Amino acid sequence: NAEYMGAVKSLRHTRQGRGIMFSLFSRMPKRELSRFVRAASSKATKVAGSDAWTLASGVMFGSALVAGGVAFASDDKLNPASYPWDHTGAFDAFDAAAIRRGHQVYKNVCASCHSLDKIAFRNLIGVAYTEDEVKAMAAEVDVKDGPNDEGEYFERPGKPSDYMPSPYPNEENARFANGGAYPPDLSLMVKARADGANYMFSLLTGYRDPPEGVVIREGLHYNPYFPGGAIAMARQLNDGQVEYDDGTPASTSQMAKDVTVFLNWAAEPEQDERKLMGIKFMLAFAAAAVITTFYKRFRWSTYKTQQLSFKSPAKNPLSTAAKGTPHH
């Protein structure tokens, strides 16, 4: 029918067509699907052009389902939607208020399991906090330092130059505390995952009950955006879990959005400076191009506007007169 033909034709160019096609076939009883494959096989030899390709694709796809299923590389997870982030444009910068709120979410929720060992407290100065706020925040943390003059290690209040503390002293302790699962460091997590920001937001808001027929073993939780659908981390964000300094309502989606922006900034804190440097370079390059063009036109105008003409040398009148006088 028209729905099937449209789905298969769009399969050539988009992933959506493949999903629609899979949905259509998966709803068909296997006996009816087998009958369709036989009918489409006989009809595919009688048509030509794009319709023949469409029917052939349907035959192969349906045959695979009849035989026991077909698998794609992305079938074990749901692809995240694309969200309109404020910082992704060429002339866009990170939202400082969102970074501050995201840090609050990380500090109160994520930091109990995940480290952020590539970000120092001082990186937050001028981005989301003042220098005094960062000093007070760092002083709340006890940092192991040393050795001292006696060769012993000691603890001291944190300084802005210290890096964010890890919740566990080593990987073995982290796995023991989390039932064998190792909570990864989040410093570069947004850059380490395909479609990073969209994936992080979808993962944090994507927890739900497993569909009928899907069995999740004990200790794991169903999340269709995680590869395999089973993730060791339980749902962490719930409405009202964090009280924002600026009074923003802390809904689940708001907290997920803010912590995603914060982690995106943590993965590349130099992004705004890099974009600004690029804009300055392009402006300087454009100005240099204009100056060079005018200089070139001025420098070469003398040669381009002058006219060169070639004339035969003037004849000597004495030689002409001599040629006209007969010799005696």
Side-chain angles (χ1 to χ4, degrees):
N1 54 32
E3 184 181 8
Y4 162 74
M5 297 290 284
V8 181
K9 287 179 178 179
S10 64
L11 170 65
R12 307 178 199 180
H13 307 291
T14 65
R15 190 179 298 169
Q16 182 182 9
R18 187 173 65 202
I20 297 173
M21 191 173 168
F22 182 83
S23 177
L24 289 173
F25 281 129
S26 62
R27 290 197 300 262
M28 295 174 64
K30 183 162 290 191
R31 180 177 300 178
E32 184 178 345
L33 184 60
S34 301
R35 190 183 308 115
F36 168 80
V37 171
R38 289 194 299 269
S41 300
S42 61
K43 188 176 180 180
T45 59
K46 302 176 183 179
V47 297
S50 60
D51 289 339
W53 188 95
T54 301
L55 284 171
S57 300
V59 170
M60 291 187 293
F61 200 92
S63 300
L65 288 178
V66 172
V70 59
F72 297 104
S74 60
D75 279 348
D76 63 341
K77 67 181 182 67
L78 190 63
N79 294 306
S82 181
Y83 298 99
W85 300 99
D86 296 334
H87 57 270
T88 55
F91 301 98
D92 296 331
F94 283 114
D95 182 2
I99 295 177
R100 183 178 180 119
R101 293 193 300 265
H103 175 258
Q104 289 182 256
V105 176
Y106 167 79
K107 181 180 179 181
N108 291 280
V109 181
C110 310
S112 60
C113 294
H114 296 275
S115 61
L116 200 69
D117 58 15
K118 291 179 174 55
I119 296 296
F121 289 102
R122 63 185 175 189
N123 295 131
L124 295 168
I125 298 177
V127 177
Y129 296 93
T130 64
E131 184 175 356
D132 292 337
E133 288 176 324
V134 170
K135 287 182 178 179
M137 185 189 310
E140 297 175 357
V141 179
D142 292 329
V143 178
K144 186 177 181 180
D145 202 350
N148 56 17
D149 296 339
E150 299 176 357
E152 297 180 353
Y153 288 90
F154 59 94
E155 289 188 349
R156 60 165 175 81
K159 298 182 294 185
S161 58
D162 293 323
Y163 285 83
M164 299 283 184
S166 175
Y168 304 105
N170 49 61
E171 180 178 341
E172 289 73 17
N173 183 264
R175 291 187 181 278
F176 177 79
N178 291 276
Y182 179 58
D185 179 76
L186 298 182
S187 300
L188 302 175
M189 186 57 64
V190 172
K191 304 294 289 185
R193 297 292 182 266
D195 204 9
N198 294 323
Y199 168 77
M200 292 291 295
F201 178 83
S202 300
L203 182 73
L204 293 172
T205 58
Y207 287 90
R208 61 198 65 182
D209 294 331
E212 185 178 356
V214 176
V215 179
I216 303 296
R217 68 181 178 86
E218 186 178 357
L220 299 180
H221 309 273
Y222 179 71
N223 192 315
Y225 297 100
F226 188 77
I231 183 172
M233 182 179 72
R235 175 174 177 170
Q236 299 295 316
L237 301 179
N238 297 282
D239 294 343
Q241 188 172 352
V242 175
E243 185 176 351
Y244 285 135
D245 293 340
D246 58 4
T248 301
S251 62
T252 299
S253 58
Q254 181 67 50
M255 290 187 291
K257 178 254 186 185
D258 291 335
V259 76
T260 299
V261 172
F262 171 72
L263 293 177
N264 203 155
W265 168 83
E268 44 182 351
E270 78 290 345
Q271 175 184 285
D272 291 349
E273 294 182 9
R274 187 178 67 245
K275 288 183 178 180
L276 184 60
M277 185 182 300
I279 293 173
K280 291 180 179 179
F281 173 81
M282 294 304 296
L283 291 176
F285 181 80
V290 171
I291 294 173
T292 302
T293 301
F294 276 94
Y295 175 77
K296 180 259 181 186
R297 291 175 62 87
F298 173 78
R299 180 67 179 83
W300 287 86
S301 61
T302 304
Y303 302 101
K304 287 192 172 184
T305 57
Q306 69 180 354
Q307 181 179 0
L308 301 178
S309 59
F310 297 91
K311 297 181 180 180
S312 59
K315 296 181 179 180
N316 191 341
L318 295 178
S319 61
T320 304
K323 288 181 180 180
T325 304
H327 294 276
H328 298 286

